[in-house]
Amino acid sequence: MLSVQPRIESAKLMAWLSPFIAIALTMLASSLMFVLLEVSPIKAFEVFVIMPLSDSYNIGELMVKAAPLMLCATGLAICFRANIWNIGAEGQLLIGAVVSSYFAIQAGEDAGIGMITLILMSGVISGALWAAIPTALDRFFKTNIILSTIMLNYIGLYTLLWAVHGPLADPQGFGFPESAMFADAILLPLIQEEGRASISIVIAVVIAIITGIALFKTLPGFIVRVYGEDKAAARYAGFSSNKVVWGVMLFAGALAGFAGAAEVTGPIGQLIPSVSPGYGYAAIIVAYLGRLNPFGIIISALFMGCLYMGSDLAQIELGLPTAITGLFQGILLFFMLACDFLINYKVSFKSKALPEKPVLPSSADSELVTNSDSNK
């Protein structure tokens, strides 16, 4: 019989080692997958891990992938710390990309820093407003945030598709679902001459560091952590539930919206249907791989960006399908959750106890009782 009991105290060292254990188990399971695909595991891991770091161009592409992951994961980590299960970073990113693209196509080559600021802020505000929808439904109608944010992801996706086929489509694009290329004046500056990496990665790292300091060294961060650990204790201490929920959700939406704006004004330079290959969903894995710590998320986002970059290279070098990235992410999340479960819970096997047989009185005991009654 399987018995699951919470541990009295979880090992802090194991909590930090669990991401590395999960990565090791993922590599082991992936090796079997590569063998079944008739691909050498050593060659596969060389393509996935070594080649993305082989030259400055590949490193730049890695940073292109890591920037939106880092921004979305930082916001989600704050939500998860408050025990608010926001799964809507993907939709918030897409809406940020759509709204910022609307302003971007209005700009000409003479646009200045004011226009760039307007474009980025429109992404931030629209992402926050998109996150406000499930928050309002939760606060006023007690709906489930998980379900409402997931459904809004699909609404955001179809809003994007409507935009690139309709009002934001390039008039001279021969019917292709994409906007016109944005003016060079409003594109984010590049951090290296070779490649597409823009200052969005620098901004993402700075935001993650500031968020980490705020989470662990300020009163608002303390309130978020207390609320996530014990809502009853937070209410007893006088902390406002509405302020916490609204604060973390709007913050996460703003970062995801900024990620969308930075994508269209950075490495892509226009609005296209594939503006996000699932960054908002992958950010959930990045947040947990970083232990819901913004400082750890910087490292985990770079690692996940390496997997995205490795997946692109695997298509060229090994002929593997694009779905391999999703497989990696799914296996990694499975082992990550399994490690966390075993850290917090103790699993044991017990044999099913048989019911005890009733003890019947012996003949000697019966005679003793009879003699005692006769003496009375």
Side-chain angles (χ1 to χ4, degrees):
M1 182 179 179
L2 187 65
S3 174
V4 179
Q5 296 178 341
R7 297 183 185 273
I8 298 175
E9 186 177 358
S10 301
K12 292 183 178 180
L13 177 61
M14 288 302 299
W16 282 102
L17 288 177
S18 64
F20 300 100
I21 297 173
I23 291 172
L25 292 173
T26 300
M27 294 180 69
L28 184 62
S30 300
S31 298
L32 176 60
M33 179 179 64
F34 289 132
V35 170
L36 294 175
L37 292 172
E38 299 181 350
V39 175
S40 169
I42 297 176
K43 178 63 176 177
F45 287 124
E46 179 184 351
V47 172
F48 272 92
V49 180
I50 305 300
M51 288 189 66
L53 306 174
S54 60
D55 55 50
S56 60
Y57 178 82
N58 285 341
I59 292 175
E61 288 298 301
L62 186 155
M63 290 189 287
V64 168
K65 308 290 187 184
L69 289 170
M70 197 179 301
L71 288 165
C72 292
T74 299
L76 292 180
I78 301 302
C79 287
F80 298 159
R81 280 275 184 175
N83 209 18
I84 306 299
W85 301 104
N86 173 20
I87 315 295
E90 180 74 4
Q92 294 149 19
L93 183 153
L94 296 178
I95 290 299
V98 170
V99 175
S100 59
S101 295
Y102 169 79
F103 290 97
I105 60 177
Q106 318 296 328
E109 291 296 344
D110 57 344
I113 189 67
M115 191 62 186
I116 298 176
T117 304
L118 173 63
I119 293 169
L120 295 178
M121 287 306 300
S122 67
V124 170
I125 295 171
S126 59
L129 291 177
W130 199 251
I133 298 173
T135 310
L137 292 174
D138 169 71
R139 292 290 90 190
F140 297 125
F141 302 104
K142 305 301 179 185
T143 60
N144 188 298
I145 283 185
I146 297 176
L147 295 178
S148 57
T149 50
I150 289 176
M151 289 188 289
L152 281 167
N153 286 342
Y154 291 100
I155 297 175
L157 172 61
Y158 285 104
T159 301
L160 166 66
L161 295 177
W162 165 76
V164 295
H165 283 91
L168 300 185
D170 185 1
Q172 297 164 357
F174 302 101
F176 287 97
E178 58 187 22
S179 73
M181 296 296 296
F182 301 156
D184 291 340
I186 62 165
L187 298 181
L188 295 177
L190 302 179
I191 60 174
Q192 57 182 19
E193 293 182 1
E194 183 182 4
R196 302 183 301 153
S198 69
I199 61 168
S200 62
I201 183 63
V202 179
I203 297 172
V205 171
V206 171
I207 289 175
I209 292 173
I210 294 174
T211 303
I213 294 173
L215 181 63
F216 296 108
K217 297 296 183 181
T218 66
L219 178 59
F222 175 74
I223 293 173
V224 168
R225 288 184 287 125
V226 171
Y227 185 84
E229 292 289 336
D230 193 332
K231 292 183 180 180
R235 285 193 296 267
Y236 182 79
F239 301 152
S240 171
S241 174
N242 278 329
K243 287 183 179 179
V244 172
V245 176
W246 278 102
V248 298
M249 286 293 292
L250 293 181
F251 177 74
L255 289 189
F258 176 78
E263 281 296 288
V264 295
T265 58
I268 301 176
Q270 63 178 152
L271 183 65
I272 58 176
S274 59
V275 64
S276 170
Y279 288 138
Y281 297 113
I284 299 172
I285 304 175
V286 172
Y288 272 101
L289 199 61
R291 313 311 297 149
L292 303 184
N293 186 320
F295 299 110
I297 284 171
I298 296 174
I299 306 300
S300 62
L302 291 171
F303 172 75
M304 190 63 72
C306 184
L307 289 184
Y308 268 109
M309 185 61 192
S311 176
D312 293 341
L313 293 171
Q315 295 177 58
I316 301 171
E317 300 291 332
L318 305 175
L320 292 176
T322 56
I324 203 73
T325 303
L327 283 173
F328 263 120
Q329 292 175 1
I331 295 171
L332 181 58
L333 180 60
F334 172 80
F335 284 121
M336 190 75 230
L337 294 176
C339 289
D340 284 351
F341 179 81
L342 294 175
I343 288 172
N344 295 308
Y345 293 90
K346 182 179 180 181
V347 180
S348 59
F349 295 91
K350 295 182 179 179
S351 58
K352 189 175 181 180
L354 296 175
E356 295 183 2
K357 294 182 179 180
V359 180
L360 299 176
S362 63
S363 58
D365 292 336
S366 301
E367 291 178 4
L368 181 60
V369 172
T370 305
N371 293 335
S372 176
D373 292 340
S374 62
N375 291 335
K376 290 181 180 180

